[in-house]
Amino acid sequence: MTDEPLLRVSALSKFYGSRVGCDNVSFDLWPGEVLAVVGESGSGKTTLLNCLSTRLLPSSGTASYRMRDGQFRELYRMSEAERRFLMRTDWGFVHQNPADGLRMTVSAGANVGERLMAVGDRHYGKIRATAVDWLSRVEIDEDRIDDEPRAFSGGMRQRLQIARNLVTGPRLVFMDEPTGGLDVSVQARLLDLLRGLVTDLGLAAIVVTHDLAVARLLSQRMMVMKDGRVVESGLTDRVLDDPRAPYTQLLVSSILQV
Amino acid sequence: MTDIATYNFAYLDEQTKRMIRRAILKGIAIPGYQVPFASREMPMPYGWGTGGVQVTASIIGPDDVLKVIDQGADDTTNAVSIRAFFKKVANVAVTTDTASATIIQTRHRIPEHPLTAGQVLVYQVPIPEPLRFLEPRETETRKMHALEEYGLMHVKLYEDIAKHGRIATTYAYPVKVEGRYVMDPSPTPKFDNPKMHRSPALQLFGAGREKRIYAVPPFTEVVSLDFEDHPFEVQTFDQPCALCAAENVYLDEVILDDHGGHMFVCSDTDHCEKRRNAPTSPLWGGRAEGAGGGLDQSTLHSAPTPALRADPPHKGEGKEKQ
């Protein structure tokens, strides 16, 4: 592992007309590190994530990504072909709603295999074996491989989406509320799975969530956003146990104690 | 050319023909790329070959000899009507003979007789976009073509193998043209795909409703997509043509009666007729026996094949046989 970060973000801003999406966000992300972005709805978390994953172009600021050859490339200066290639090989994007990230009308196996075929894999047997392997790693029974995700429960769909993203061995995964809309026991299993995969594969991840428990479980570092600005950032345990910004204090104290 | 004054030569006005020719030239320059064009209303409904007719009208000249086939046949409604149309509006010679035609407009077949340099094959295309049923957004499919992102095409083939144990796509089988664009060869049976590869004839594709023209120039690489462990293969038939005994040709099933009687005959009527009229012709491999006159009448009324019947035998069926 090198001493260089995987992603360097500097003064990133996105405006929707005169409205602020996110404003002057800077941070570095190191390989294998999980960064949580927390904040209430409308605080600019998802805008930031979409800018970083090049799904949106920012109004100003830069983001450079260290490619597999060790060279930093400016994301917003890459051609669309290069960005899309990065998106389906070295990156993953886990949507809150699995239907956005899956092809709902093709089988689970094909969903997992699509990225392999997109990078030129042309051996059916190998693609299928990889799909079987990945389904088992996300705890989906092998006999569901030919079922469409439409026949899957919410938790299974989310796990399938994760398998589909990780099959090409990405180095960076973006997650937008990965546990949103799931009931607590399914959430717990999913978080457990994610934590295992992230550790095993040494993934770097940027996780957007409004759920502080998710942030605490998954991430080493976190950024708290409000009104498009980062109000506090630091190690997750430090931020949650000793919040400094008034807004973070409010957020932490708002957690419902059961 | 006295009685065609009511229309411009070949129906379309000259400006339209120039516009279509420009699209065709662009298509030839970028093999397999779908060129948008301003498709005109034609005196026939969409789905009846408006794209093919416009392409033919734009390239046809007074000296051309036109052949029109519909699923291989020269004598079905669509083929007869389009042939009559051009006879009327362009006053050109028409034929059913593949070898002597200079332009062959086709709906979903490539003739069995090998095409030669100088011939033009014009396809009628209903849906030009091979990715359409996988990705409904036109903006996205165009981007995928532009960036050569064709992984999705293999997802379809993967699904076939997962569901059926083999690639079950039998028509409109996707091909890659000259190593670049993935193209829908129109709903021809995949049996005809190998004929497109390095064909000496120019192949033009017109989709009237979808407003797209594309082309495969002569001697262009046309490779059917497949998997390493599930290679592309064409349909095979257990029996030869019941009329001309041709083997290794594409056969149509013809239902003979209400009792399940059927036979398989050449889909290419011109090919079949030629073989029957000249059974010893060296052109067709010279099979004297079995072809034409040697037809065994009993094969025309073969026994019902249970596997081919969708409906259960109904009451009173086959009674008159007793």
Side-chain angles (χ1 to χ4, degrees):
Chain A
M1 204 159 283
T2 62
D3 291 337
E4 281 187 303
L6 191 62
L7 182 70
R8 276 187 187 139
V9 181
S10 157
L12 200 69
S13 301
K14 171 74 187 174
F15 299 100
Y16 300 103
S18 60
R19 285 178 216 286
V20 179
C22 62
D23 187 14
N24 200 19
V25 177
S26 303
F27 68 91
D28 287 346
L29 183 77
W30 270 266
E33 182 187 40
V34 180
L35 173 74
V37 182
V38 301
E40 60 192 14
S41 309
S43 59
K45 307 184 298 272
T46 302
T47 296
L48 176 64
L49 195 72
N50 284 338
C51 285
L52 293 176
S53 59
T54 68
R55 290 155 56 84
L56 270 181
L57 282 184
S59 310
S60 64
T62 59
S64 341
Y65 179 72
R66 186 157 54 79
M67 308 295 281
R68 290 197 185 217
D69 62 4
Q71 298 296 310
F72 275 96
R73 291 288 308 276
E74 171 89 60
L75 290 181
Y76 309 118
R77 289 178 188 278
M78 282 175 150
S79 71
E80 187 172 15
E82 290 173 304
R83 284 204 302 264
R84 284 170 70 117
F85 184 73
L86 198 63
M87 198 73 200
R88 62 173 192 263
T89 52
D90 219 18
W91 288 3
F93 196 106
V94 178
H95 294 261
Q96 175 174 8
N97 180 1
D100 295 339
L102 293 173
R103 284 192 196 280
M104 299 302 277
T105 51
V106 304
S107 69
N111 262 293
V112 177
E114 182 180 340
R115 276 179 164 230
L116 296 174
M117 294 181 244
V119 294
D121 223 322
R122 294 287 179 264
H123 192 282
Y124 174 81
K126 286 182 197 155
I127 293 168
R128 195 162 173 90
T130 313
V132 168
D133 175 46
W134 268 100
L135 289 180
S136 73
R137 286 166 86 164
V138 296
E139 299 167 17
I140 295 174
D141 284 337
E142 191 184 327
D143 61 4
R144 302 299 301 269
I145 189 168
D146 292 330
D147 291 351
E148 290 179 6
R150 279 192 288 211
F152 285 8
S153 69
M156 279 174 79
R157 288 181 188 183
Q158 197 58 286
R159 295 202 298 274
L160 179 62
Q161 196 193 177
I162 289 163
R164 171 183 161 91
N165 273 290
L166 298 188
V167 69
T168 47
R171 294 188 300 157
L172 173 60
V173 178
F174 301 97
M175 297 188 215
D176 189 4
E177 306 275 7
T179 58
L182 301 176
D183 61 58
V184 282
S185 60
V186 175
Q187 264 191 37
R189 292 243 319 275
L190 187 72
L191 285 173
D192 203 40
L193 175 80
L194 270 179
R195 201 149 67 145
L197 288 174
V198 166
T199 321
D200 289 350
L201 304 171
L203 290 176
I206 298 177
V207 184
V208 158
T209 178
H210 62 263
D211 188 337
L212 293 180
V214 169
R216 191 192 276 276
L217 267 172
L218 279 182
S219 68
Q220 288 102 33
R221 213 149 56 89
M222 70 190 281
M223 290 197 318
V224 183
M225 290 186 73
K226 179 167 170 47
D227 300 332
R229 287 181 188 83
V230 176
V231 294
E232 186 165 1
S233 63
L235 296 176
T236 302
D237 289 344
R238 204 280 296 155
V239 174
L240 290 178
D241 294 339
D242 176 23
R244 289 175 193 168
Y247 176 71
T248 317
Q249 292 170 357
L250 177 76
L251 208 62
V252 171
S253 64
S254 307
I255 296 174
L256 199 59
Q257 303 294 333
V258 190
Chain B
M1 261 186 261
T2 47
D3 54 348
I4 60 167
T6 345
Y7 288 108
N8 193 34
F9 179 77
Y11 186 75
L12 291 173
D13 62 276
E14 294 304 316
Q15 284 299 324
T16 298
K17 285 194 271 187
R18 288 180 65 178
M19 174 270 295
I20 294 173
R21 284 175 201 144
R22 277 197 292 271
I24 293 172
L25 287 174
K26 186 169 177 182
I28 293 169
I30 318 171
Y33 172 72
Q34 299 167 47
V35 185
F37 79 110
S39 178
R40 297 290 191 253
E41 290 285 333
M42 296 303 283
M44 60 205 291
Y46 287 134
W48 285 72
T50 53
V53 165
Q54 288 179 78
V55 170
T56 303
S58 305
I59 60 170
I60 203 164
D63 302 333
D64 273 313
V65 181
L66 180 70
K67 170 184 163 81
V68 183
I69 51 173
D70 174 6
Q71 306 274 15
D74 294 280
D75 53 4
T76 54
T77 315
N78 203 203
V80 171
S81 307
I82 293 174
R83 211 160 48 222
F85 176 74
F86 280 111
K87 207 173 170 184
K88 184 173 180 184
V89 299
N91 203 17
V92 291
V94 294
T95 182
T96 58
D97 176 29
T98 304
S100 58
T102 55
I103 298 174
I104 303 171
Q105 183 172 331
T106 171
R107 174 171 173 265
H108 316 344
R109 267 318 302 283
I110 298 173
E112 304 291 355
H113 188 283
L115 299 178
T116 53
Q119 287 186 306
V120 184
L121 191 59
V122 178
Y123 296 75
Q124 302 170 199
V125 182
I127 297 165
E129 179 52 72
L131 300 160
R132 174 60 64 239
F133 293 108
L134 302 156
E135 174 54 65
R137 292 166 293 177
E138 176 71 14
T139 48
E140 184 67 13
T141 52
R142 297 187 90 176
K143 201 166 274 178
M144 290 162 84
H145 281 294
L147 302 177
E148 220 180 330
E149 285 183 9
Y150 290 131
L152 198 54
M153 208 68 248
H154 273 85
V155 170
K156 180 181 186 293
L157 303 180
Y158 171 97
E159 283 289 272
D160 264 4
I161 302 173
K163 280 190 187 132
H164 309 288
R166 64 197 162 81
I167 298 178
T169 305
T170 52
Y171 63 94
Y173 193 102
V175 293
K176 194 164 214 178
V177 181
E178 203 64 14
R180 177 59 179 84
Y181 282 96
V182 165
M183 185 187 91
D184 185 342
S186 88
T188 50
K190 67 177 172 183
F191 182 87
D192 287 339
N193 276 17
K195 294 181 197 162
M196 306 180 75
H197 179 61
R198 301 194 59 76
S199 166
L202 170 65
Q203 302 173 75
L204 302 175
F205 299 77
R209 181 185 51 208
E210 303 288 325
K211 301 174 174 54
R212 294 288 184 277
I213 283 172
Y214 49 105
V216 175
F219 303 107
T220 302
E221 302 271 321
V222 179
V223 180
S224 304
L225 301 180
D226 60 3
F227 284 104
E228 287 159 20
D229 47 346
H230 286 268
F232 171 80
E233 38 190 45
V234 298
Q235 293 101 327
T236 53
F237 297 90
D238 299 335
Q239 57 214 79
C241 169
L243 295 177
C244 74
E247 286 170 5
N248 301 318
V249 294
Y250 194 73
L251 301 181
D252 279 340
E253 186 185 4
V254 177
I255 305 293
L256 298 169
D257 51 37
D258 287 342
H259 312 298
H262 65 104
M263 64 176 182
F264 286 93
V265 297
C266 285
S267 119
D268 186 335
T269 52
D270 173 56
H271 179 75
C272 199
E273 271 164 30
K274 285 235 167 55
R275 279 181 58 89
R276 276 181 286 156
N277 293 338
T280 50
S281 163
L283 188 59
W284 314 118
R287 280 178 51 121
E289 86 291 347
L295 179 66
D296 178 7
Q297 289 295 323
S298 66
T299 58
L300 294 178
H301 294 278
S302 53
T305 15
L308 285 164
R309 297 206 49 175
D311 59 324
H314 49 82
K315 220 176 176 180
E317 185 184 298
K319 245 185 185 169
E320 56 271 42
K321 272 189 177 170
Q322 293 164 1

